[in-house]
Amino acid sequence: MKDVLILTGAGQIGIAIARRMGYGKKIIIGDRRKENAESAAKVMNGAGFDCIAIEMDLSSRDSIKELIQRAREYGEISMLINAAGVSPSQAPIETILKVDLYGTAVLLEEIGKVIKHGGVGVTISSQSGHRMPALSPEVDKQLAVTPTEELLSLEILNPQNIKDTLHAYQMAKRCNEKRVMYEAIRWGERGARINSISPGIIVTPLAIDEFNGPRGDFYKNMFAKCPAGRPGTADEVADVAELLMSERAQFITGADFLIDGGATASYFYGPLCPENK
């Protein structure tokens, strides 16, 4: 039996983190498209890791529970990397809320019930949650503590109150940050930690979809005018995740880490600020 690392979402960011943290562990790669998980597992197994691929749907509690049950056949779950999700250009409002918001909340809840003592997780959020105007303390608390099966019934998440897919994505990512804070308390009861990372524009197939989508010019302008002057790479996100998932970060839990080359700073106080245009 080995310690088990669960990776949800077979994209470049999740794989980059798994390559840092997965040595000596059984790695379970879950993705809605099993062929994506199989492709990632093949590459990692060829590099000396021990991976299996499983089809899983982040929007389904039953699918998440099946993933966890399969993972526990190999040992105790000691690590979670949640990098699954859809972008504003890939899905309608309802799907974004069901996958990125509800699905992430369910995954953190279910893993939190079984995570090994000393275990750790990271979930990939987004800079989008930081660019949205502040919500009221009451709404923030609703996003944090509402029972998962009631989340999508919140008035603020009624699709009629969501302007567009970007707004839905921002709400989902804000909810991710609040949910991590809430679940950190539950995970802490098991001696485990959970944090989130909010990347900016990272060059991945998903980002390329955005570059070629209706907001492509907006995103290209964003990384051109951020302090870093460029988009980021999956390995730069993995640098942060490696710290958060290591023993050096024992005092860090329930936190979100923005890694966007300064794009959010520029959006509020620099050349990307709408008032400066």
Side-chain angles (χ1 to χ4, degrees), residues 112-241:
K113 295 175 182 178
V114 298
I115 188 73
K116 181 180 179 180
H117 181 87
V120 65
V122 293
T123 187
I124 303 302
S125 188
S126 169
Q127 64 174 355
S128 288
H130 291 263
R131 288 205 315 274
M132 188 173 66
L135 302 173
S136 70
E138 292 77 17
V139 171
D140 276 342
K141 187 172 182 179
Q142 287 178 347
L143 294 176
V145 307
T146 297
T148 47
E149 293 306 317
E150 299 174 19
L151 266 173
L152 295 180
S153 298
L154 291 174
E155 182 65 20
I156 195 171
L157 298 179
N158 186 315
Q160 294 181 343
N161 295 324
I162 303 292
K163 292 182 293 186
D164 52 28
T165 57
L166 178 58
H167 184 206
Y169 189 72
Q170 290 175 327
M171 287 298 300
K173 298 309 178 181
R174 181 68 61 85
C175 184
N176 291 168
E177 296 164 26
K178 298 302 176 183
R179 214 72 196 184
V180 161
M181 295 176 72
Y182 175 70
E183 287 295 343
I185 300 165
R186 266 114 226 109
W187 284 47
E189 293 169 357
R190 298 183 62 88
R193 300 182 295 108
I194 178 69
N195 293 292
S196 60
I197 298 174
S198 291
I201 299 171
I202 306 297
V203 179
T204 65
L206 186 149
I208 291 171
D209 281 348
E210 291 296 322
F211 295 159
N212 295 324
R215 284 178 289 274
D217 289 341
F218 171 81
Y219 287 111
K220 292 172 184 175
N221 182 59
M222 181 182 295
F223 70 70
K225 292 184 178 178
C226 74
R230 62 172 177 84
T233 67
D235 280 298
E236 288 174 305
V237 179
D239 287 339
V240 177

Side-chain angles (χ1 to χ4, degrees), residues 3-183:
D3 276 1
V4 178
L5 183 158
I6 291 179
L7 166 61
T8 56
Q12 291 185 10
I13 291 176
I15 293 298
I17 300 171
R19 290 178 72 96
R20 303 286 184 93
M21 307 307 302
Y23 42 84
K25 298 180 178 65
K26 187 72 176 185
I27 302 173
I28 312 297
I29 304 177
D31 196 282
R32 186 173 63 85
R33 295 177 178 169
K34 190 175 182 182
E35 61 270 22
N36 290 350
E38 290 173 338
S39 177
K42 181 179 180 180
V43 171
M44 290 192 69
N45 285 335
F49 293 92
D50 180 9
C51 306
I52 63 167
I54 295 177
E55 182 178 349
M56 66 85 62
D57 179 0
L58 187 62
S59 70
S60 165
R61 185 184 292 272
D62 286 343
S63 182
I64 289 170
K65 291 174 77 170
E66 288 173 10
L67 174 73
I68 292 170
Q69 182 178 356
R70 182 73 183 278
R72 296 183 77 189
E73 295 173 2
Y74 295 94
E76 289 189 274
I77 298 169
S78 65
M79 289 188 175
L80 168 69
I81 303 165
N82 175 35
V86 292
S87 78
S89 295
Q90 292 179 319
I93 289 171
E94 290 81 0
T95 301
I96 291 171
L97 295 177
K98 189 70 183 292
V99 176
D100 290 16
L101 190 151
Y102 167 81
T104 295
V106 171
L107 180 66
L108 298 185
E109 178 182 61
E110 293 293 341
I111 294 288
K113 295 175 182 178
V114 298
I115 188 73
K116 181 180 179 180
H117 181 87
V120 65
V122 293
T123 187
I124 303 302
S125 188
S126 169
Q127 64 174 355
S128 288
H130 291 263
R131 288 205 315 274
M132 188 173 66
L135 302 173
S136 70
E138 292 77 17
V139 171
D140 276 342
K141 187 172 182 179
Q142 287 178 347
L143 294 176
V145 307
T146 297
T148 47
E149 293 306 317
E150 299 174 19
L151 266 173
L152 295 180
S153 298
L154 291 174
E155 182 65 20
I156 195 171
L157 298 179
N158 186 315
Q160 294 181 343
N161 295 324
I162 303 292
K163 292 182 293 186
D164 52 28
T165 57
L166 178 58
H167 184 206
Y169 189 72
Q170 290 175 327
M171 287 298 300
K173 298 309 178 181
R174 181 68 61 85
C175 184
N176 291 168
E177 296 164 26
K178 298 302 176 183
R179 214 72 196 184
V180 161
M181 295 176 72
Y182 175 70
E183 287 295 343

